[in-house]
Amino acid sequence: MVAYYPDAVALRHLLTAIRPQVDAVVLVDNSPVPRENDQLDDGVYAIRLERNVGLAAAQNIGIQWARRHDHAHVLLLDQDSIPGEGMVMALLDALVGLAGSGMTGAVGPRFRDLREDRDAPFVRIGFPFNRKRWCEHPGQTVTCDFLISSGALIPMAVLDAVGGMDEALFIDNVDLEWGFRARAKGYELHGVCAATMYHRLGDARRTMPFGLGHVVVHGSARLYYMMRNRVLLYRMPHTPAVWIAQDLPRIAAKLVLFGVMVGPRLRNLRYMLQGLYDGVRGRRGACPIRPPA
């Protein structure tokens, strides 16, 4: 579980929901606060970092802890997620059931943002549009091309074969890159309809004019990573060409959306353009722009 300045009450709810479902919880805290590594509750361990190393690196730290302690599976979680009752067992049962039908790299739950009126679909990448696959009954498993990292259950043997998360991406598209890499090595990803999770996407929702619905709003620094990392993914050999072709128009769409329609416009535009520039020249790691106070 990766945290960055988490809300204490929300974190307690998350720990209460997940602790009975797993053997151990490792909280990797990216908040740069001077606190010692400690054990919070029985079976809950905190690794407090001196600086924000990014989502991918923090996930790898937790994965390494699980490997050292001989755990067979790793469940990734964000601080903005609340697993449903029995989620982990449903994921594990699905993994066992899929064992004879090919190489399964990871399974993930269906999830819902509480600000939405229905569950999010699983996705198969297509051109010009993705194919959304919805759960039709609880016993269904859905083959998909990527899973969001939060809620993903991954066998340690798969992590040994595919590798950990790409720390150079820092945050954003980390799960997408790992999924592309796993699929390039012959593994399949599956959504499990019997497993449920609530997950908060983005910082806020903004109503668009002219009846265009709602848009997920992110901070300017997050927009930097979105733009830079998509360009970095274009250059990776395991990224599907169909995803690149389908994703390219999103660059123009996001520049218009967050640089013209959703504020702070100038700051958003500056971060996005810097992200595109850094992606083209292959810059990795943390965002180089110092955020405003």
Side-chain angles (χ1 to χ4, degrees):
M1 181 190 306
V2 178
Y4 182 72
Y5 293 111
D7 177 82
V9 174
L11 182 61
R12 176 54 56 187
H13 287 163
L14 173 53
L15 290 171
T16 300
I18 195 58
R19 179 64 195 95
Q21 301 191 44
V22 295
D23 292 330
V25 175
V26 182
L27 172 65
V28 184
D29 192 349
N30 253 334
S31 313
V33 292
R35 295 177 62 180
E36 297 294 329
N37 293 0
D38 60 351
Q39 182 175 347
L40 300 177
D41 295 318
D42 182 36
V44 180
Y45 301 87
I47 301 175
R48 308 205 184 268
L49 306 178
E50 295 180 355
R51 62 185 179 89
N52 180 9
V53 299
L55 174 67
Q59 288 175 336
N60 286 339
I61 289 170
I63 291 168
Q64 290 163 7
W65 188 99
R67 183 180 286 113
R68 289 196 307 271
H69 291 80
D70 298 322
H71 291 285
H73 300 81
V74 169
L75 176 79
L76 302 177
L77 278 176
D78 294 344
Q79 67 188 41
D80 295 329
S81 301
I82 298 291
E85 184 177 353
M87 183 193 81
V88 178
M89 185 56 68
L91 293 174
L92 192 57
D93 286 345
L95 263 181
V96 173
L98 291 164
S101 60
M103 297 168 57
T104 300
V107 291
R110 58 188 174 97
F111 72 91
R112 174 180 296 189
D113 191 310
L114 290 175
R115 297 163 294 183
E116 300 289 342
D117 59 358
R118 63 176 177 176
D119 296 335
F122 298 104
V123 174
R124 295 304 303 264
I125 296 171
F127 185 83
F129 303 109
N130 288 333
R131 300 189 299 276
K132 298 179 179 180
R133 305 194 63 185
W134 307 91
C135 286
E136 298 176 359
H137 56 84
Q140 183 183 10
T141 58
V142 179
T143 303
C144 52
D145 287 330
F146 62 89
L147 294 165
I148 67 168
S149 59
S150 190
L153 182 67
I154 312 174
M156 188 63 74
V158 174
L159 288 164
D160 291 339
V162 176
M165 307 302 145
D166 188 341
E167 299 182 9
L169 297 179
F170 200 81
I171 189 173
D172 212 86
N173 283 348
V174 174
D175 44 12
L176 196 63
E177 187 279 329
W178 189 89
F180 289 162
R181 190 165 10 115
R183 286 185 49 77
K185 289 181 176 290
Y187 290 95
E188 293 184 343
L189 308 176
H190 298 274
V192 179
C193 296
T196 60
M197 182 180 74
Y198 295 103
H199 181 70
R200 183 183 177 92
L201 287 172
D203 297 330
R205 290 285 195 276
R206 187 77 58 85
T207 301
M208 300 301 295
F210 312 116
L212 296 177
H214 296 80
V215 62
V216 177
V217 178
H218 299 278
S220 300
R222 187 68 181 271
L223 292 173
Y224 166 87
Y225 291 113
M226 287 180 173
M227 287 300 197
R228 186 199 66 181
N229 289 355
R230 71 193 333 121
V231 177
L232 293 179
L233 257 65
Y234 296 163
R235 305 169 61 174
M236 296 180 182
H238 50 270
T239 301
V242 65
W243 180 82
I244 298 174
Q246 178 236 78
D247 187 72
L248 279 168
R250 291 200 190 102
I251 294 179
K254 286 188 179 295
L255 286 172
V256 171
L257 182 61
F258 295 106
V260 177
M261 302 179 69
V262 177
R265 298 172 183 83
L266 291 180
R267 185 195 304 168
N268 287 344
L269 193 60
R270 178 191 176 202
Y271 275 77
M272 288 189 291
L273 292 176
Q274 184 68 49
L276 290 173
Y277 175 70
D278 286 350
V280 169
R281 67 192 187 117
R283 179 177 184 135
R284 298 166 177 258
C287 175
I289 304 178
R290 188 178 184 88

